[in-house]
Amino acid sequence: MTGEQRPEGLRDRKKRATHRALTEAAVRLAAEHGAENVTVEAISEAAGVSPRTFFNYFDNRDEAFVMIDADVADRVRRAVLDAPPERPPLWAVADAYAAELPDPGTGHELWELRVQVLRRSPHLLVSTLGAHQADEKRLAGTIAARVAAAGCADPGVYPRLLAAVANTAARVAMEHWSSGDRERPVPEIFREVFGHLAAGLPAPGPAAALTTTSAGARGPRPPLTTPQRE
């Protein structure tokens, strides 16, 4: 299942850095002044590029507020496909997501600023939800391909469900971290969420037995089994 992966060249790294600079500038300006008061010219100046360069990356101003890293979804899908064949699909997706969650410091700060911007601008929230749904649908296609490679030609709703669950788990982990559980890194919280999902979401209680999966997540037993179709 693992395919050849082209090493990222200098040009690709520069493009990624420029995109990240533009989205960061857009989010910071919008958090300070309100998204409706931020112009393409202001974003470009803050990022150190020209407005013409801005439009090499975005079709319009609002797109700069929607995604923090345009390459994340592609890397997640590639990681799902490249995971070892014996890795259950749920944990292949969990590993891919955990590797892309924000690092402590700037990553978390930008996520919180972006949440503030979206809450104050409902039209941007709608656009963001649309972008996430499109990525979710593409991820479902990737999951279906992985399951098919393992011999299941008709996985039913499983790919769409797992893709939707992964997005929800990432949001829950980030919100849980943001609400006060900042002693633990977000990827650890995220893996714990997946541990509960893998166990079938049993109700928590004093007698619940927790186990650590091979993905490093804490969750109640029993372990995950891969769905089978007749």
Side-chain angles (χ1 to χ4, degrees):
M1 183 169 296
T2 301
E4 292 294 326
Q5 185 173 332
R6 180 177 60 87
E8 186 180 49
L10 176 61
R11 184 170 180 270
D12 292 328
R13 291 196 297 272
K14 289 180 66 175
K15 287 178 64 177
R16 184 185 304 202
T18 300
H19 186 279
R20 187 173 294 126
L22 285 166
T23 53
E24 179 175 343
V27 169
R28 291 188 183 280
L29 287 169
E32 182 177 357
H33 304 290
E36 67 280 4
N37 298 316
V38 177
T39 64
V40 168
E41 289 74 17
I43 296 171
S44 302
E45 182 179 357
V49 301
S50 68
R52 180 177 179 180
T53 298
F54 177 95
F55 287 110
N56 289 335
Y57 292 86
F58 306 103
D59 290 335
N60 55 64
R61 182 204 62 173
D62 286 357
E63 283 189 2
F65 302 118
V66 172
M67 296 292 289
I68 294 296
D69 189 336
D71 297 324
V72 165
D74 288 339
R75 293 198 299 271
V76 166
R77 291 194 297 270
R78 186 165 58 244
V80 169
L81 286 177
D82 289 348
E86 66 275 10
R87 193 74 166 146
L90 189 146
W91 288 116
V93 172
D95 294 342
Y97 265 72
E100 297 296 340
L101 290 170
D103 294 326
T106 303
H108 290 328
E109 179 201 5
L110 286 177
W111 183 85
E112 291 184 307
L113 288 176
R114 183 166 171 261
V115 169
Q116 294 175 20
V117 170
L118 295 180
R119 284 175 176 168
R120 295 201 301 255
S121 304
H123 73 286
L124 293 179
L125 180 58
V126 172
S127 298
T128 298
L129 291 174
H132 285 178
Q133 287 176 346
D135 284 340
E136 187 177 291
K137 187 174 181 178
R138 288 189 288 268
L139 176 60
T142 299
I143 295 168
R146 180 179 177 87
V147 173
C152 181
D154 181 16
V157 301
Y158 182 80
R160 292 299 298 268
L161 178 61
L162 179 51
V165 163
N167 276 335
T168 300
R171 176 178 56 80
V172 167
M174 288 295 297
E175 290 177 351
H176 184 75
W177 177 90
S178 181
S179 67
D181 188 9
R182 303 196 179 199
E183 295 300 318
R184 294 190 295 157
V186 171
E188 179 182 325
I189 300 172
F190 175 78
R191 289 186 185 279
E192 182 175 338
V193 172
F194 258 80
H196 287 288
L197 293 170
L201 287 178
L210 291 181
T211 184
T212 301
T213 71
S214 58
R218 294 188 305 139
R221 294 185 178 89
L224 171 72
T225 56
T226 305
Q228 300 294 324
R229 295 277 296 196
E230 295 295 332

